[in-house]
Amino acid sequence: MKPAAFDYLVPQTVAGAVDALAAGAQVLAGGQSLLLEMHLQRAHPALVADINRVPGLDTLTVVDGTLTVGALVRHKTFESPGAVPGPLGDLFARAVGYIAHPPIRARGTMTGNLAWAHPASEWCALAVALDAVVELRSTRGTREIPAEDYFLGPFQTARDPDELLTAVRYPLLAPDTGVAFTEHRRTGFSFAQVAVGAALTVREGVITGARIGLANCADRPLRAHNAERTLIGSEPSQPVFTAAGEAAAERDAAPVPEPYADVDYRRHVVAVLVARTLREAAPV
Ligand SMILES: Cc1cc2nc3c(=O)[nH]c(=O)nc-3n(C[C@H](O)[C@H](O)[C@H](O)COP(=O)(O)OP(=O)(O)OC[C@H]3O[C@@H](n4cnc5c(N)ncnc54)[C@H](O)[C@@H]3O)c2cc1C
């Protein structure tokens, strides 16, 4: 199908983009979700603002232990070893290979992915687990929202329609943090049935820090707080990781049934994948 007719603007500045949004435009970033929706006639924006010519949005910066990812940083950037320092970069590099396939990773953006807010998104789950903050700009000013408050449901966020998601910020992970990312899906290019990202800090043989992000385990990305609580203060071991997996499956996840994967099956996958991801993050 062809998209319905629309007007097309190419703002040259963030202020111009924000003005376009105030006039009712929808942002075009990588176009990997928006254009598909328009072709399928499930999205009918009358005005599209293509932000790809706005300078300064394609940068990754690290200042005072915080990584800032601009709105035009493509998925593939995170495939490069060292693009982001330390364990955070390692975690992103492990996750990004699960996102779609190379042409989509070459154009799609991390912030476009957070704006789209698919419940199975790898970036959305990591944003919640890692205490990311999204920066939103409109003609009314700039505000920041913690990722855990930003995602409200499938394809629903706290972003107002006239707000441009200009950047997402992550605190860097401590150098002695172990990370892992695992995923279960039907085919190589399918969205995740369940995906799990984890960051574990073990000091003097005891788990002192735990972050677990879950994708497609509820109507929105989740941080597995109950599972994390079972880990803190314990020595890393297979029984401890198995118990954390069971806590994530029974007390954190709230899976909805999907074709090929009912709720019981998906809880089982959560338990297995969480335990496996933790074991990879902190080998025992
Ligand atoms: C075949 C296929 C497989 C895929 N597989 C996966 C997968 O496994 N995992 C995964 O996470 N994703 C997957 N995706 C989605 C892909 O990651 C997209 O790149 C991403 O969801 C959207 O990013 P984008 O930059 O292309 O945004 P666009 O398509 O340009 O925009 C998406 C939406 O977000 C809005 N938007 C974009 N940027 C901003 C901004 N800065 N401020 C405000 N609003 C904005 C747009 O207006 C639009 O509503 C897949 C897509 C396809 C087509």
Side-chain angles (χ1 to χ4, degrees), residues 21 25-36 51 57 71-72 74-75 98-101 104-105 107-118 120-124 136 150 159 161 163-167 183 185 189-192:
L21 266 71
Q26 193 160 352
V27 173
L28 174 76
Q32 301 305 303
S33 297
L34 179 62
L35 294 181
L36 181 63
I51 61 171
L57 292 181
L72 286 177
R74 316 285 168 183
H75 301 313
Y98 289 107
I99 300 175
H101 45 75
I104 289 174
R105 294 201 290 270
R107 285 303 295 172
T109 63
M110 177 186 272
T111 55
N113 190 283
L114 300 182
W116 186 239
H118 194 297
S121 152
E122 291 80 3
W123 290 148
C124 297
L136 299 167
Y150 168 79
R159 184 182 73 84
E163 287 180 306
L164 180 68
L165 207 171
T166 38
E183 182 159 318
R185 48 187 171 172
F189 294 146
S190 308
F191 277 81

Side-chain angles (χ1 to χ4, degrees), residues 53-75:
R53 303 281 167 80
V54 176
L57 292 181
D58 60 349
T59 53
L60 279 181
T61 56
V62 177
V63 177
D64 294 336
T66 299
L67 169 75
T68 300
V69 180
L72 286 177
V73 176
R74 316 285 168 183
H75 301 313

Side-chain angles (χ1 to χ4, degrees), residues 66-213:
T66 299
L67 169 75
T68 300
V69 180
L72 286 177
V73 176
R74 316 285 168 183
H75 301 313
K76 74 166 185 181
T77 305
F78 301 98
E79 293 172 358
S80 309
V84 173
L88 184 63
D90 190 10
L91 181 54
F92 284 172
R94 287 165 186 249
V96 69
Y98 289 107
I99 300 175
H101 45 75
I104 289 174
R105 294 201 290 270
R107 285 303 295 172
T109 63
M110 177 186 272
T111 55
N113 190 283
L114 300 182
W116 186 239
H118 194 297
S121 152
E122 291 80 3
W123 290 148
C124 297
L126 288 181
V128 169
L130 297 169
D131 283 332
V133 170
V134 299
E135 180 188 272
L136 299 167
R137 201 173 304 180
S138 71
T139 52
R140 300 180 301 289
T142 302
R143 66 182 179 129
E144 295 194 339
I145 305 181
E148 240 183 331
D149 299 332
Y150 168 79
F151 296 104
L152 302 180
F155 309 104
Q156 289 170 32
T157 71
R159 184 182 73 84
D160 290 330
D162 67 343
E163 287 180 306
L164 180 68
L165 207 171
T166 38
V168 53
R169 298 189 214 293
Y170 300 83
L172 293 183
L173 292 170
D176 56 352
T177 305
V179 296
F181 197 97
T182 59
E183 182 159 318
H184 178 66
R185 48 187 171 172
R186 286 190 66 234
T187 71
F189 294 146
S190 308
F191 277 81
Q193 274 184 347
V194 172
V196 180
L200 275 189
T201 310
V202 181
R203 291 189 180 138
E204 296 176 3
V206 172
I207 300 170
T208 57
R211 297 174 175 278
I212 303 171

